[in-house]
Structures are given as structure tokens and as C-alpha cells.
């Protein structure tokens, strides 16, 4: 009888410690990063850095059966801006969720030679998208030493929050 109780206790202890170990997955482990580029409608190359994250339940209450996928990106490129048709640099920060999130936000900045040229931000509640675009302005700049940098906010009840940063460099293409 003592052997059965001891074996049962050991089995339960192992199961609880194994399940506790399985829930201690680092948030970094579920983050993926990719970079790509495409040609926009003005025939300029736009470079993108994109991060995707699947948040873990924070254990505070009811969560959806499937975890949301959160995606954020910084897009950097040139486009014609009107009324004066001039090619200008832009940085767009985008924050998306596959499900409606409690709060999504983005602050994006366009830098040149270490200084901020422009900034833009957007914060939304109970939505699945926040996006902002920072434009260069009317001054003409050489096409190098510029980058876009964005800070993102993902908050949703029942899930761990995520505050990533994305950056894309211009490098004179």
C-alpha cells in the first residue's frame, strides 16, 4: 500500500512539476522577426522589419481558446507626396492583432544623421489595428543614413502585454 501511495505521489509531483515547467516558456521564445522589401505604387522600394508574437495567458482569467497573433512592423521607403509631387522618405509603424485587443499603440519616428525628422503616433482601444506614418517634410535629403524606428504597445485582458520595437534602415537604395 505504501508503495502505491508513494508511486502515486511521485507521479502527481512529476505531472505538476512538468506542467509548471511547460508554462514557463519565455516570451522571447515565441517571437519571430523577418525582413523583406516590396515595390510600392510609386515604383520605389519599401523595406520592412516585422515581428510576430503569440502572447501567453497571464493566468488572470478567461482567455480565448486560441491565443491572438500580434504583429508589428516598421516600413521605410519613398513615395510621391502631393500637392507638390516630390519623392519623400516616410516611416510607417503598424500594430495589428488577429483578435480585438484592449489597447494597441504605435509611435514611429523618421531619423536622418541621428536627428528626428518627423514623428507620428496612434493609440486605439478595443480594436485590431493602430498605424501611423511620419513623413520627411518638404526639404530634400540624400538617400542614405536614414532609418525608421517604431515603439509598439499590445495589451489585452488575459494575456501578457508586449512592447516591442522595430527598426528599418534606408541605406541609400
Amino acid at each position: 500500500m505504501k508503495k502505491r501511495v508513494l508511486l502515486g505521489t511521485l507521479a502527481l509531483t512529476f505531472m505538476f512539476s512538468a506542467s509548471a515547467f511547460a508554462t514557463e516558456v519565455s516570451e522571447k521564445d515565441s517571437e519571430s522577426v523577418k525582413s523583406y522589401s516590396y515595390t510600392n505604387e510609386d515604383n520605389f522600394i519599401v523595406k520592412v522589419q516585422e515581428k510576430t508574437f503569440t502572447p501567453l495567458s497571464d493566468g488572470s482569467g478567461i482567455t480565448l481558446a486560441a491565443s491572438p497573433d500580434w504583429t508589428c512592423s516598421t516600413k521605410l521607403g519613398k513615395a510621391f507626396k502631393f500637392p507638390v509631387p516630390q519623392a519623400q522618405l516616410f516611416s510607417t509603424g503598424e500594430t495589428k492583432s488577429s483578435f480585438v485587443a484592449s489597447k494597441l499603440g504605435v509611435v514611429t519616428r523618421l531619423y536622418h544623421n541621428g536627428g528626428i525628422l518627423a514623428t507620428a503616433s496612434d493609440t486605439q482601444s478595443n480594436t485590431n489595428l493602430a498605424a501611423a506614418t511620419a513623413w520627411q517634410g518638404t526639404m530634400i535629403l540624400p538617400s542614405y543614413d536614414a532609418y525608421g524606428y517604431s515603439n509598439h504597445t499590445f495589451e489585452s485582458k488575459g494575456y501578457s502585454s508586449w512592447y516591442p520595437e522595430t527598426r528599418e534602415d534606408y541605406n541609400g537604395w
Side-chain angles (χ1 to χ4, degrees):
M1 180 73 157
K2 286 185 180 180
K3 286 184 182 180
R4 285 186 188 177
V5 171
L6 182 61
L7 287 175
T9 304
L10 285 174
L12 286 174
T13 303
F14 178 74
M15 285 176 20
F16 284 121
S17 55
S19 67
F21 177 74
T23 59
E24 294 176 350
V25 176
S26 166
E27 290 181 9
K28 284 280 188 198
D29 291 342
S30 62
E31 180 180 292
S32 66
V33 180
K34 69 178 180 178
S35 294
Y36 60 92
S37 61
Y38 65 90
T39 303
N40 66 11
E41 61 276 358
D42 294 325
N43 209 27
F44 292 111
I45 295 173
V46 176
K47 294 176 70 176
V48 181
Q49 182 188 64
E50 182 177 276
K51 292 183 179 180
T52 302
F53 178 71
T54 302
L56 302 174
S57 170
D58 66 4
S60 67
I62 299 172
T63 58
L64 299 171
S67 293
D69 283 326
W70 290 342
T71 304
C72 59
S73 63
T74 294
K75 299 174 184 175
L76 182 68
K78 281 185 182 178
F80 285 114
K81 185 148 182 178
F82 295 95
V84 178
Q86 176 185 1
Q88 294 180 14
L89 288 173
F90 69 87
S91 174
T92 297
E94 192 172 82
T95 304
K96 295 188 291 188
S97 176
S98 60
F99 295 113
V100 172
S102 302
K103 179 181 177 183
L104 295 178
V106 62
V107 177
T108 190
R109 292 166 297 285
L110 179 61
Y111 288 85
H112 182 259
N113 285 336
I116 295 178
L117 290 178
T119 186
S121 64
D122 184 29
T123 302
Q124 301 287 328
S125 297
N126 300 315
T127 188
N128 63 353
L129 177 66
T133 300
W135 285 93
Q136 158 191 334
T138 57
M139 60 188 210
I140 298 172
L141 293 175
S143 298
Y144 58 89
D145 198 25
Y147 64 94
Y149 184 82
S150 302
N151 297 90
H152 308 270
T153 299
F154 292 87
E155 295 175 0
S156 199
K157 292 178 183 170
Y159 295 99
S160 53
S161 297
W162 188 42
Y163 305 99
E165 301 167 344
T166 52
R167 175 185 168 146
E168 189 57 71
D169 293 295
Y170 193 76
N171 297 330
W173 66 86

